[in-house]
Amino acid sequence: EAQVTQNPRYLITVTGKKLTVTCSQNMNHEYMSWYRQDPGLGLRQIYYSMNVEVTDKGDVPEGYKVSRKEKRNFPLILESPSPNQTSLYFCASSGSGPQSGNTIYFGEGSWLTVV
Amino acid sequence: KNQVEQSPQSLIILEGKNCTLQCNYTVSPFSNLRWYKQDTGRGPVSLTIMTFSENTKSNGRYTATLDADTKQSSLHITASQLSDSASYICVVGSSGSARQLTFGSGTQLTVLP
């Protein structure tokens, strides 16, 4: 079954404590991306990756880091989380970049609260 | 600036009725337009994808239309069911932008028995 798996699904952390949200896909997709979703706003892209070792900033990259050392994994790193990073995060993957018209598959989301 | 506007923000209908959701976009250069269904607290699920040359695409009771000249799209839901209650998100892809996708804020549909 085609899957994008995120962990953890729910997390409460304190300001400044580094955390990593993992994302893994089993479809051998080249394109992966992270989004955050806040009330009243559409999904906003944080970072994306077109392939292994190739990453680029999205609309809201500040305060986040990513890496793409393997094709299947694309972790999101918050080096020093702040309360304004409290949000619902989604990882997504696609066979190629979204301009290609390929289906984009989303994970189930990770609810992050920073206190 | 690329933008996607959806209307209405929210909609309540009775089970069995039809409804139409609207999406207007100012994204250039245009590549594709997607409709997603997002249940509360879940990840978005793809309903349809249309490229510039397509003006209609169906997926069961969901039918999307695209008018690339007026930069408008609609999602028509036929014979609504309680399980259709969700947020419907319009997403426009651009071949010329590093950002590549612009998301609308969604239409929250509630289907009542």
Side-chain angles (χ1 to χ4, degrees):
Chain A
E1 179 189 357
Q3 275 190 327
V4 178
T5 304
Q6 300 179 221
N7 279 296
R9 292 289 316 281
Y10 305 91
L11 179 64
I12 300 174
T13 190
V14 296
T15 299
K17 185 177 181 181
K18 180 180 177 180
L19 69 92
T20 299
V21 186
T22 63
C23 174
S24 179
Q25 49 91 7
N26 64 357
M27 296 166 279
N28 200 36
H29 283 168
E30 293 184 348
Y31 178 86
M32 297 186 75
S33 182
W34 275 102
Y35 300 89
R36 62 179 288 175
Q37 187 174 37
D38 301 293
L41 300 176
L43 276 82
R44 293 181 292 168
Q45 190 177 50
I46 303 170
Y47 270 94
Y48 65 96
S49 170
M50 296 298 289
N51 213 324
V52 176
E53 302 291 2
V54 180
T55 63
D56 210 344
K57 296 178 180 179
D59 295 311
V60 288
E62 296 78 18
Y64 305 95
K65 286 176 56 177
V66 293
S67 68
R68 188 87 181 275
K69 298 178 181 175
E70 305 167 282
K71 200 170 189 179
R72 64 182 293 125
N73 296 323
F74 190 45
L76 179 69
I77 304 159
L78 285 74
E79 292 273 1
S80 182
S82 62
N84 65 11
Q85 292 179 297
T86 293
S87 188
L88 175 58
Y89 291 86
F90 289 102
C91 180
S93 75
S94 178
S96 56
Q99 73 275 16
S100 70
N102 287 345
T103 298
I104 299 173
Y105 296 87
F106 285 83
E108 285 298 301
S110 295
W111 293 86
L112 173 63
T113 300
V114 183
V115 297
Chain B
K1 178 183 178 183
N2 290 337
Q3 284 189 317
V4 175
E5 301 284 344
Q6 292 187 243
S7 63
Q9 273 191 316
S10 62
L11 181 63
I12 300 174
I13 62 173
L14 294 176
E15 186 178 12
K17 298 296 186 182
N18 304 334
C19 67
T20 300
L21 314 180
Q22 301 290 343
C23 173
N24 296 339
Y25 63 91
T26 54
V27 174
S28 183
F30 174 88
S31 175
N32 54 70
L33 187 143
R34 307 160 185 263
W35 282 95
Y36 280 86
K37 177 186 179 187
Q38 184 179 21
D39 293 318
T40 301
R42 306 292 298 274
V45 174
S46 180
L47 294 175
T48 62
I49 304 171
M50 291 180 291
T51 59
F52 185 88
S53 60
E54 297 173 296
N55 55 23
T56 187
K57 184 74 71 80
S58 291
N59 179 358
R61 295 179 295 102
Y62 302 100
T63 300
T65 64
L66 172 64
D67 186 333
D69 292 331
T70 62
K71 300 186 177 181
Q72 295 180 326
S73 176
S74 65
L75 180 69
H76 186 74
I77 304 174
T78 303
S80 61
Q81 300 176 358
L82 298 179
S83 59
D84 292 332
S85 295
S87 178
Y88 291 84
I89 303 172
C90 176
V91 187
V92 181
S94 172
S95 55
S97 167
R99 308 295 189 246
Q100 299 183 338
L101 290 175
T102 304
F103 289 79
S105 298
T107 292
Q108 183 66 45
L109 174 66
T110 302
V111 180
L112 298 178

